[in-house]
Amino acid sequence: MASVFSKIVAGEIPCYKIAENDEFLAFLDINPLSEGHTLVIPKREVDYYFDLEDDELARMNVFAKKIAQRLKSVTSCKKVAVVVMGLEVPHAHIHLIPMNSERDVDFSKEKLKFTPEHFSRIVEKVGL
Ligand code: AMP
């Protein structure tokens, strides 16, 4: 069965898209830890991040870098954290989390709740 992220890639499930190219897609996490929390995925469905091909992994990180730079400039955070977990969704993804303190990357804390309008405003601000 296709992962929820493959369904996003196929357009069967909507997302708040930040950027895409032929191989990768970036969209807002619907349960954000901070304003601008973004997921970067390969369009090709691979569960485990380190099962990606070497050159694919490199290109994915270069793609993520552009988004991280954009997030940093528009959210005025101290840094953009890079987290790979993949325990919930079995489709490789990088979390990009604008952070001002370690607490901003604490996955055990309660997630932020944004309205669709709020998510859309973030896309307008960050979207590439
Ligand atoms: P993990 O697999 O542990 O890295 O967590 C998966 C992440 O994907 C969580 O932060 C979820 O909030 C996020 N997520 C799950 N479904 C969606 C979706 N349809 N759109 C955006 N983010 C999602």
Side-chain angles (χ1 to χ4, degrees), residues 4-5 8 13-15 27-32 37 39 84-91 93 95 107 111:
V4 63
F5 291 169
I8 289 176
I13 293 179
C15 73
F27 54 93
L28 296 177
D29 193 306
I30 39 160
N31 301 301
H37 181 167
L39 301 175
V84 176
M85 302 219 305
L87 290 173
E88 186 189 316
V89 178
H91 184 137
H93 53 281
H95 293 260
F107 278 80
K111 306 297 184 298

Side-chain angles (χ1 to χ4, degrees), residues 8 27-28 35 38 49 51 53 66 101 112 121 124:
I8 289 176
F27 54 93
L28 296 177
E35 176 108 0
T38 297
Y49 182 72
D51 282 338
E53 299 297 331
K66 286 197 204 87
S101 78
L112 299 173
R121 275 200 299 279
E124 275 168 34

Side-chain angles (χ1 to χ4, degrees), residues 1-7 27 39-52 84-95:
M1 203 180 72
S3 74
V4 63
F5 291 169
S6 284
K7 289 183 179 166
F27 54 93
L39 301 175
V40 176
I41 66 166
K43 291 186 173 177
R44 183 172 92 84
E45 185 171 331
V46 173
D47 175 358
Y48 183 45
Y49 182 72
F50 288 119
D51 282 338
L52 291 166
V84 176
M85 302 219 305
L87 290 173
E88 186 189 316
V89 178
H91 184 137
H93 53 281
I94 299 172
H95 293 260

Side-chain angles (χ1 to χ4, degrees), residues 34 37 45 56 60 62-63 71 75 77 84 87 94 120:
S34 70
H37 181 167
E45 185 171 331
E56 190 179 21
M60 182 164 162
V62 172
F63 180 80
L71 282 169
T75 66
C77 59
V84 176
L87 290 173
I94 299 172
S120 297

Side-chain angles (χ1 to χ4, degrees), residues 68-112:
Q69 287 171 327
R70 178 82 180 147
L71 282 169
K72 187 161 182 304
S73 69
V74 302
T75 66
S76 63
C77 59
K78 279 192 186 151
K79 286 191 174 172
V80 174
V82 182
V83 179
V84 176
M85 302 219 305
L87 290 173
E88 186 189 316
V89 178
H91 184 137
H93 53 281
I94 299 172
H95 293 260
L96 296 177
I97 307 166
M99 65 177 289
N100 288 302
S101 78
E102 284 182 15
R103 183 150 168 71
D104 292 330
V105 286
D106 175 1
F107 278 80
S108 66
K109 78 172 187 186
E110 200 177 336
K111 306 297 184 298
L112 299 173

